[in-house]
Amino acid sequence: MGHLTIVLLAAAFEVLTGSRAYTTHYDYIDVDQVLNNTRLYTKYVECLLGQGKCTPEARELRDKLPEALQTNCARCSERQASESHRVIRFLIQNRQEDFKLLEAKYDPSGLYFKRFEEETKRNVSLS
């Protein structure tokens, strides 16, 4: 089997299994700065809700969010998974209305949020 064949098989496997990780290109973003800056925060939420223009970072988040929710962030880096949980907690505790709007758009059945709650309870009991 030639080198090119092996590379193509590996690429096909990644596509079929979805094993490729999300880009870490935007992992430098200071999530606290976004959450605590009303203007930045509003721009991200508007983009996620399809109500405003998107920065490249917000567009990437918007495009990957449905799959990340469905797969419990299987393709997320450790930092992405950790930060996503922190953002969800922030929304629940500080921005209930925004959380409800985002949940209605991305998780209308409540399935993914329920999984998040269960995982959070498990992690607390393991601490």
Side-chain angles (χ1 to χ4, degrees):
M1 200 179 283
H3 180 68
L4 180 58
T5 305
I6 293 171
V7 170
L8 290 174
L9 286 174
F13 179 76
E14 284 182 356
V15 169
L16 291 173
T17 62
S19 64
R20 282 187 52 218
Y22 296 131
T23 182
T24 57
H25 183 74
Y26 298 115
D27 281 9
Y28 68 88
I29 293 173
D30 181 347
V31 174
D32 286 325
Q33 182 182 15
V34 173
L35 295 177
N36 295 310
N37 179 310
T38 303
R39 185 184 62 77
L40 285 174
Y41 171 85
T42 300
K43 292 292 182 190
Y44 269 86
V45 171
E46 287 174 350
C47 171
L48 291 173
L49 293 172
Q51 299 172 348
K53 286 185 151 189
C54 298
T55 64
E57 301 90 348
R59 186 178 309 107
E60 179 79 17
L61 175 61
R62 182 195 65 201
D63 294 347
K64 301 299 185 216
L65 187 57
E67 178 190 17
L69 288 170
Q70 290 171 1
T71 65
N72 200 25
C73 223
R75 293 174 53 189
C76 295
S77 69
E78 247 182 74
R79 181 178 180 347
Q80 291 165 346
S82 170
E83 293 296 316
S84 66
H85 284 188
R86 199 156 62 87
V87 169
I88 292 170
R89 279 191 299 277
F90 174 86
L91 291 170
I92 292 168
Q93 294 170 356
N94 303 296
R95 303 284 188 135
Q96 265 294 317
E97 284 305 310
D98 292 338
F99 176 77
K100 288 178 190 224
L101 292 171
L102 291 165
E103 184 181 33
K105 179 171 180 96
Y106 292 98
D107 187 17
S109 66
L111 175 67
Y112 309 125
F113 177 64
K114 182 177 179 180
R115 186 178 358 169
F116 170 78
E117 282 183 314
E118 290 168 358
E119 187 176 307
T120 301
K121 287 176 188 173
R122 261 194 315 267
N123 289 338
V124 169
S125 67
L126 294 175
S127 314

